[in-house]
Structure formats: structure tokens, C-alpha cells
Amino acid sequence: MSGNIFITGQTSGLGLGLKNCFLDNGYNVYGLSRSCTEDDFNLKIDLKEIKNLTEKIDYFMKNKKFDLAILNAGILGGLKKVTDISITEMIDTFSINVISTKLIIDSAIRNKSCDNFVVISSGAANKGYDGWLNY
């Protein structure tokens, strides 16, 4: 098989596993992560820094075509009581887990880079856990 795959958070955990699986099966893997080496296949970026995120992602997506975009990047944030979570922590988690996902999808569609998306979440999306408000 061959083609181009786009993965966020592809330097560790599930994202790294997905990246390796696609590479092993002959795909080109593009992605973004805050700890990758920036090159033609990767954009080094911190998704909590929303300012200019659209422009950076648009620049990366321009003139690229992906068969699939897997939006995997996310953070749990601190496991704390509601009253102990700062607004800054909430904004950072929301920026990474929600806002950046929308901006990436918007950019991919706007640049005609990709029409197929998989957005990774967890069981916490279906059931609340004490201390996981931030997530």
C-alpha cells in the first residue's frame, strides 16, 4: 500500500504506534507534534499556542494531499478538584484537545488537503471521572 497519512501527536504513545504501523505498510506519514524534528514531513508546534496556529497549519497543509488525517494529540491535564484547576490550565487543555482539532480540520478542508478524519478520544468522553474536569 502507499499514500499519505497525517497524524497529530505522532512522537509518543498511540500516535507513535500509528505512525510506525503506517510507515511499515508503505505510507508516507506527515504530522505535527511539539517534540518532533521539523522537516518537510513534520511541523513542530505546540497546539496550546493558538495565536497564529491557523496560519502555521495552513502553511504546512498547502499543496499536500492526505488520504487520512488522524487527530490524536491531546493532554489529560491535572487530576484535581474543580476548585484547584486554574483558568490557564483549562484554556491550555481546551486549546490542545478541542480548538486545535477544529483548526486542523478547517485548514485541511480549506486547503483541499484531506476529506477523511479520525478524531481520537477516550472513555472519559462517555463517563465522568472525579478529578477529570479539565480533560
Side-chain angles (χ1 to χ4, degrees), residues 23-127:
L23 287 172
D24 289 347
N25 285 282
Y27 287 87
N28 299 310
V29 178
Y30 295 78
L32 57 87
S33 181
R34 56 178 182 229
S35 60
C36 67
T37 302
E38 191 160 348
D39 57 28
D40 289 340
F41 287 90
N42 297 295
L43 176 62
K44 186 174 182 178
I45 194 166
D46 189 340
L47 295 176
K48 75 180 177 189
E49 297 176 13
I50 296 300
K51 185 176 181 183
N52 301 322
L53 187 59
T54 297
E55 291 83 7
K56 292 175 185 177
I57 294 169
D58 276 347
Y59 181 80
F60 184 75
M61 292 276 182
K62 191 173 183 175
N63 300 320
K64 292 183 176 80
K65 181 69 178 161
F66 305 109
D67 301 297
L68 178 65
I70 302 173
L71 306 179
N72 165 70
I75 62 169
L76 177 59
L79 299 176
K80 302 176 182 178
K81 294 179 187 176
V82 172
T83 56
D84 293 337
I85 300 172
S86 73
I87 294 299
T88 301
E89 288 176 280
M90 290 288 296
I91 290 170
D92 288 349
T93 302
F94 196 77
S95 295
I96 293 168
N97 295 351
V98 179
I99 296 171
S100 67
T101 298
K102 181 190 181 340
L103 295 176
I104 292 166
I105 292 170
D106 289 350
S107 179
I109 293 170
R110 183 174 45 256
N111 286 289
K112 297 178 175 47
S113 298
C114 190
D115 296 321
N116 302 300
F117 302 91
V118 173
V119 180
I120 305 292
S121 185
S122 74
N126 297 319
K127 181 181 178 197

Side-chain angles (χ1 to χ4, degrees), residues 2-38:
S2 66
N4 296 324
I5 305 295
F6 177 82
I7 303 173
T8 63
Q10 41 94 7
T11 57
S12 65
L14 179 61
L16 180 59
L18 289 166
K19 175 185 175 180
N20 289 336
C21 182
F22 280 108
L23 287 172
D24 289 347
N25 285 282
Y27 287 87
N28 299 310
V29 178
Y30 295 78
L32 57 87
S33 181
R34 56 178 182 229
S35 60
C36 67
T37 302
E38 191 160 348

